[in-house]
Amino acid sequence: MYVAVKGGEQAIDAAHQWLAERRRGPKETGELSVSQIRSQMRLAVDRVMTEGSLYDPELAALALKQASGDVVEAVFLVRAYRNTLPRFLYTCPLDTRTMTIQRRISAAYKDVPGGQVLGPTYDYTHRLLDFTLMANGDAPQGPEPATEPLEACPRVLEMLNREGLIEGPDGQTEQSPGNQDPEPGDITRDPLSYPADRSVRLQALARGDEGFLLALGYSTQRGYGRNHPFAGEIRYGQAAVEIAPEELGFPVVIGDIEITECDMINQFGGNQTEAPRFTRGYGLGFGQSERKVMAMALVDRALRARELGEELSTPAQDEEFVLSHCDNLDSSGFVSHLKLPHYVDFQSELVLLRQLRREFQQRSEQRSPSSGQVSSESKQESEA
Amino acid sequence: MSTQLANSIDAGGYNFAYLDEQTKRMIRRGLLKAVAIPGYQVPFGGREMPLPYGWGTGGMQVTATVIGQDDTLKVIDQGADDTTNAVSIRRFFARTAGVKTTELTTEASVIQTRHRIPETPLQAGQILVYQVPIPDPLRFIEPREVETRTMHALQEYGVMHVKLYEDIARHGHIATTYAYPVKVNDHYVMDPSPIPKFDNPKMDDSPALQLFGAGREKRIYAVPPFTRVRSLDFEDHPFEIQRWDESCEFCGATESFLDEVITNDQGGRIYVCSDTDYCRQRQHTTPKKQEAYP
């Protein structure tokens, strides 16, 4: 009986074996291949890459397979793997102006140079279960690719910036001199410290849990730190990744990655010395991750409240609250650790609680020596 | 501590003890700072480990950093060597570092622990590595890091005493039974990790090096050997440790921390040592208790 309290090595081994069997499922059904997951569960793969902060669709698909589709568990697998990789250098900043667009929309203008490109989106689907998918019906062929090349798609916010109607991407005014890019922080090497600069905040948000950021972003829309957002531009497509090795002296392209980017246009500020202008929030994620990058942009803007001189009163504006709790590895790890044994701490609490109840009992007996029945009942309880 | 640099060996494609050497160097720098400023929480670039945060990743990073090939490792959770998480962490190091492991407190050069300090007194040369969930003892009074760092720097610990006083006013006792705050080297108030306050006196003037790792919170702190560690209290409410009227069912110990084990649904229960190695040693050297097992 006592042995059952302690876990054994055998129990752990057996649990792992059972888990492996359950992961595979009944042998009569075919096994999912990593390439199937990669190509047919692509949005799950994209989320694992974004929150795992590792661009590798194949490994993300493998992680999803190994994790039985549990996204947070898959993110964990990818992060633990990523942590062991050597780090050679930083890439040049991505130039998303020149990315190959698959989808690009602006909710601020009816038409913009380059046009509105709907692309592959669930947005206007009717959410009716498609039973032909269950019956192994063939998916329809996609539309023929357009013959004329896509026009260049300049950024919507840059057009506003040209008029001085919106701040620059770094939050500065358009005339800000020098405009040099400071070295970005890296929370995977240095622990977060507060106040955090914007590059660090954006990194934490990019790795942050989609659900958590979505809820926070939503809360700003409902009035908890409202900042009047417009989806200035959302774009999804392939961007070239460049590195500039010192010995070469010029950048070289090492490959393309799929990204989604969101520029939010937010309410304007202004004071005695500065003309009013729109402010902005920014979101970026791997693959097609629109919900994530929109939530990220809302929260990014909310976190800029202090710098913009707004009143700080809501959770989404609270840097320590948001950044300390947005990582789903942190949160799921610490919540799940409650499953670990706490016998010792619990025993300590029991000892104290029994003592306190005994003393309470004695005190109430002294106060009312006649109420014998009540006290004997509670005495039983205290010793149960 | 084995001072030799651990040579990289192949452990299934990973470096010795999993972490790469650059990371270990970064953590060692943090440890040196922690030892130099006893009780001070040193921020470090904590890494993702292949175990979940909250399951001992801080302790594992410290252990991975200080352990060498000649070390002998013991891992306990709740005082026991055979609880699931202790088994899992011990296996991790057996697999990635190939070091010798033991269940004997006296035989271990590095002991990683969760929630207990072994009953057997530690010796000079031994390292005790604690797993820490929330490193800042002020966190539950002031949730903001920006604030608590300042409070520590200024030794502004009045709020902690107020909290303990409020306990006494409400319950007649200080109602903290584990993770009971201590003052280290007469300066920093430190969280001893969620060990029962029963274990607090063992930290004081210990000949062993005590290292604390909080992985999720990315903090390291330390108590060097022979350092004064005092549990916070009041003159008229001195610090006390837990006592049991019962003794251990297996070895008869009355001076060790006892776990309560429920044996049936009729209120039956027995008490056993939480420290399994201590209990086993006593069973070898002292006769068993006479009463029959209920």
Side-chain angles (χ1 to χ4, degrees), chain A residues 143-151:
Chain A
E144 288 293 311
T147 44
E148 77 272 26
L150 211 59
E151 288 176 57

Side-chain angles (χ1 to χ4, degrees), chain A residues 7 83 318 320 333 345 349 359, chain B residues 48 53 82 145 173 177 194:
Chain A
N83 183 38
D318 187 328
E320 252 200 87
D345 294 349
E349 295 283 73
E359 289 168 3
Chain B
E48 273 109 3
Y53 282 129
D82 59 352
E145 179 73 17
H173 298 277
T177 57

Side-chain angles (χ1 to χ4, degrees), chain A residues 1 7 13 76 79-80 83 188-189 207 318 320 330 333 336-337 341 343-345 347 349 354 359, chain B residues 18 45 47-49 51-55 78 82 91 114 144-146 173 177 194 216 242 258 260 263:
Chain A
M1 181 176 292
D13 284 339
F76 187 3
R79 287 261 195 102
N83 183 38
T188 68
R189 302 283 114 174
R207 290 158 58 93
D318 187 328
E320 252 200 87
D330 287 357
S336 72
H337 109 283
Y343 320 137
V344 168
D345 294 349
Q347 182 60 217
E349 295 283 73
R354 287 195 178 119
E359 289 168 3
Chain B
Y18 178 75
R47 303 289 195 251
E48 273 109 3
M49 297 296 282
L51 262 69
Y53 282 129
W55 295 52
Q78 314 296 300
D82 59 352
R91 276 188 173 185
R114 177 168 169 264
R144 273 160 218 289
E145 179 73 17
V146 174
H173 298 277
T177 57
R216 191 176 36 78
Q242 291 100 337
L258 298 179
E260 182 176 330
T263 51

Side-chain angles (χ1 to χ4, degrees), chain A residues 147 230 248 367:
Chain A
T147 44
F230 295 95
L248 274 187
R367 272 201 299 273

Side-chain angles (χ1 to χ4, degrees), chain A residues 160-340:
Chain A
L160 279 172
N161 195 7
R162 209 165 297 133
E163 262 189 87
L165 287 171
I166 194 166
E167 59 183 5
D170 51 1
Q172 302 302 311
T173 55
E174 76 280 17
Q175 311 97 323
S176 62
N179 201 27
Q180 69 260 38
D181 232 352
E183 181 83 5
D186 184 353
I187 58 171
T188 68
R189 302 283 114 174
D190 306 304
L192 257 174
S193 62
Y194 302 105
D197 72 31
R198 190 161 176 224
S199 73
V200 165
R201 287 202 313 248
L202 286 171
Q203 186 190 13
L205 296 178
R207 290 158 58 93
D209 183 74
E210 179 175 313
F212 179 78
L213 296 182
L214 183 65
L216 279 177
Y218 175 51
S219 75
T220 68
Q221 288 181 281
R222 288 194 65 259
Y224 289 80
R226 179 154 168 74
N227 49 42
H228 307 277
F230 295 95
E233 182 169 7
I234 295 166
R235 41 171 73 200
Y236 155 60
Q238 286 87 22
V241 178
E242 293 180 327
I243 57 169
E246 257 177 49
E247 59 270 30
L248 274 187
F250 55 87
V252 287
V253 175
I254 55 169
D256 286 345
I257 61 171
E258 283 204 347
I259 54 161
T260 307
E261 185 185 45
C262 173
D263 268 321
M264 244 359 137
I265 303 172
N266 300 81
Q267 75 182 25
F268 39 86
N271 52 34
Q272 302 266 307
T273 54
E274 272 189 74
R277 58 169 51 81
F278 286 121
T279 56
R280 48 165 105 197
Y282 184 74
L284 184 82
F286 289 146
Q288 191 171 5
S289 46
E290 281 168 47
R291 194 186 299 118
K292 167 65 182 272
V293 298
M294 290 179 78
M296 178 177 166
L298 289 173
V299 177
D300 171 46
R301 174 59 185 78
L303 288 177
R304 295 183 58 216
R306 185 189 304 277
E307 138 203 6
L308 295 168
E310 294 166 346
E311 190 195 352
L312 301 178
S313 55
T314 68
Q317 295 168 323
D318 187 328
E319 176 181 79
E320 252 200 87
F321 180 81
V322 175
L323 301 188
S324 300
H325 301 120
C326 69
D327 190 279
N328 60 25
L329 251 56
D330 287 357
S331 53
S332 71
F334 201 46
V335 168
S336 72
H337 109 283
L338 294 173
K339 293 183 281 188
L340 287 179

